[in-house]
Amino acid sequence: MSGEVLINLTPMETRVAVVENGVLQEAYIERSRRRGIVGNIYKGKVIRVLPGMQAAFIDIGLERAAFIHAQEVMPPNTPHGELVSISQLLHQGQSLVVQVAKDPIGSKGARLTTHLSIPSRYLVYMADSPHTGVSLRIEDEAERERLRKIVDACHEEFASGIGGGFIIRTVAEGAGRDEIAQDMQFLLRLWQKVDEQRGHAGIATLIYDDLPLFMRTLRDVMRDDIERVRIDSRENYFRLKQFACEFMPNIESHIEYYPGERPIFDLFSVEDELQKSLQRKVQLKSGGYLVIDQTEAMTTIDVNTGGFVGHRNLEETIFKTNLEAATAIARQLRLRNLGGIIIIDFIDMEESEHQRQVLRVLEKALERDHAKNKLTGVTELGLVQLTRKRTRESLEQVLCEPCHICQGRGTLKTPETVCYEILREIMRNERAYAPEKYTVLASQAVVDRLLDEESAAVADLEGFIGKTIRFQVENHYSQEQYDIVLM
Ligand SMILES: [Zn+2]
């Protein structure tokens, strides 16, 4: 297995592709505009204390003053219910290191806390809490205990004397000791930098911001089998090198600047593959195909043979298609980043040995997925169920919105249906208002049909009401849209 990471950077967005053996397997996209400031750490200044609200306004260098509640200033181990007055905690003009807990919205400033924390891949470092916590979403008691032991041991080895504590994130489930140790060391190095800055930084300045996507990627997707990382921005290439040099020295030599004439995502057809990953249908080499549907409750994947398969060796063709589908499905789950419940409808197979083999191939392919997944079995109807941990939004959620023409249904009323609606609507208006004339505004397809296939029905109606009906094409109308104008 040989892997490569491609990073495409523009001021508007960052896109990261993980390619394995020449095939795109994972994609991450971040839009600059959508990046908030949550997690950023600033050195701020108290500009006003509000005793009545048990809060204060802090200048952190943004347009609007930020807001902090007394609760967020008190030591985290203060007994519950013992609220110390804000005037005892802060005074005007005081400098204060704070972290953004909530982005500013509209006229409201950012919400702040003094309880600083820095997240990484598996852990979150908590600067003023000496405890080790485990995400509640890791339910298995033995696994919680295993992780806690690893973190406590690493803490003693690397962080004795530094203080603070760690929270073990849900994604740590199943992670090994080395991965966690590496993550902790990364966090501690980062924290030391922040800690230095606390003293030196000027008032109302940023002292830490969450890593941009291309750096986080380096932290989160780097594995031993990734041979190189190519990035198409010269300026950020140097930043990335610098970052690696400081925090992940073993990978620095793998990073290369890509100055190519061709866009970087033309390599390995990444751009094409990304486009394809938004389509419902996935073509298989054997001629078969997958149909992937994302609903709110689950994702369903239907496996189909392509067209005519013949009678000879039908079982063999089906078996081959299912095998190919199993590998393709595992890839699509990663690439589209589909999470939650996934139901797969393989083509029915007679031989139980074939069924077993298809499941085994699927299981094997899923092992390469960094997101935790679990094959939970085959239902009575032969559907394969699995779950995959939801991490970020799916690729479709990042790049698309529900179709406003069909309101997300995925289908439109046929022109025929719309024509009959229009004719009924005219009858209703005739009874209610009896206008002198009718003009119908509709899409090209609907008007064409009214003047052609439905012309007899239109003539009948005109005869019945004793008026002519005028039709007018509105090019910007969708197929379902129409207006009946009375005059
Ligand atoms: Zn639609």
Side-chain angles (χ1 to χ4, degrees), residues 402-412:
C403 171
H404 59 270
I405 295 175
C406 69
Q407 269 88 38
R409 298 196 312 268
T411 55
L412 286 175

Side-chain angles (χ1 to χ4, degrees), residues 132 143-158 168 175-181 184:
T132 301
E143 177 63 4
R144 294 174 66 87
E145 208 35 52
R146 182 188 75 90
L147 288 166
R148 196 189 292 277
K149 274 197 181 124
I150 292 175
V151 168
D152 286 342
C154 290
H155 196 166
E156 230 180 87
E157 190 176 341
F158 308 118
I168 301 166
R177 191 237 168 229
D178 287 353
E179 289 162 291
I180 290 173
M184 187 181 289

